[in-house]
Amino acid sequence: MKNLIIDAANKIIFLKIITNDKSYTTEFINSRENFDKFSLIIFEFLKKNNIKIEEISNILINQGPGVFSGIRSSISTVKALSLSNNINIYGFNSNQVEKKNYNKVLDLFKKGALIKNIIKPHY
């Protein structure tokens, strides 16, 4: 199972892929230019790590609170990816992440505490 974490609610766009035995991360500046090509950023990140979108089982996305444009761009892109590739999406909140440590989010996901396919943006 491969999970993709997307966090664009802060000054940095953070992407992380977690597989059974490895993880990959990358960061981008949270800017208008990067929002315009948000889906391309995701696909380039996957390609760089030799992972196809079809291999992603779940996407965990930060639904805020945070930067309005980052939250809107990331959620709309993830919803499109979910619909077109049959990927489950789960939302988490900014207060569940401390200093780019997503272990709490992963624990909540594993315990079934994140609600599947219901995203409620918090601006």
Side-chain angles (χ1 to χ4, degrees):
M1 178 186 320
K2 294 181 177 143
N3 300 310
L4 173 61
I5 295 176
I6 299 176
D7 188 347
N10 300 299
K11 294 179 182 179
I12 299 293
I13 298 169
F14 180 82
L15 304 175
K16 182 172 189 163
I17 298 170
I18 301 168
T19 66
N20 293 333
D21 57 347
K22 295 181 184 179
S23 69
Y24 310 94
T25 61
T26 192
E27 295 180 349
F28 297 89
I29 296 171
N30 196 335
S31 67
R32 173 67 187 208
E33 295 82 26
N34 286 333
F35 295 139
D36 289 345
K37 59 180 183 176
F38 199 78
S39 58
L40 293 175
I41 287 173
I42 292 171
F43 282 111
E44 287 173 11
F45 175 57
L46 294 172
K47 184 178 180 180
K48 178 182 173 186
N49 294 293
N50 297 315
I51 297 174
K52 297 178 182 175
I53 191 69
E54 296 84 14
E55 297 175 67
I56 301 295
S57 302
N58 306 294
I59 299 176
L60 288 71
I61 185 161
N62 190 339
Q63 56 193 0
V67 177
F68 176 83
S69 54
I71 295 168
R72 290 302 278 170
S73 294
S74 60
I75 288 175
S76 60
T77 301
V78 165
K79 284 185 176 184
L81 289 173
S82 172
L83 287 172
S84 61
N85 295 284
N86 199 27
I87 300 171
N88 300 316
I89 53 175
Y90 297 86
F92 64 91
N93 298 320
S94 294
N95 64 358
Q96 295 170 315
V97 178
E98 293 181 20
K99 299 179 183 176
K100 298 181 189 175
N101 183 348
Y102 292 84
N103 290 336
K104 182 177 179 182
V105 173
L106 290 171
D107 288 341
L108 291 170
F109 171 71
K110 290 175 185 175
K111 291 177 183 175
L114 300 179
I115 299 172
K116 179 179 170 183
N117 297 332
I118 296 180
I119 304 299
K120 296 180 181 179
H122 304 282
Y123 303 111

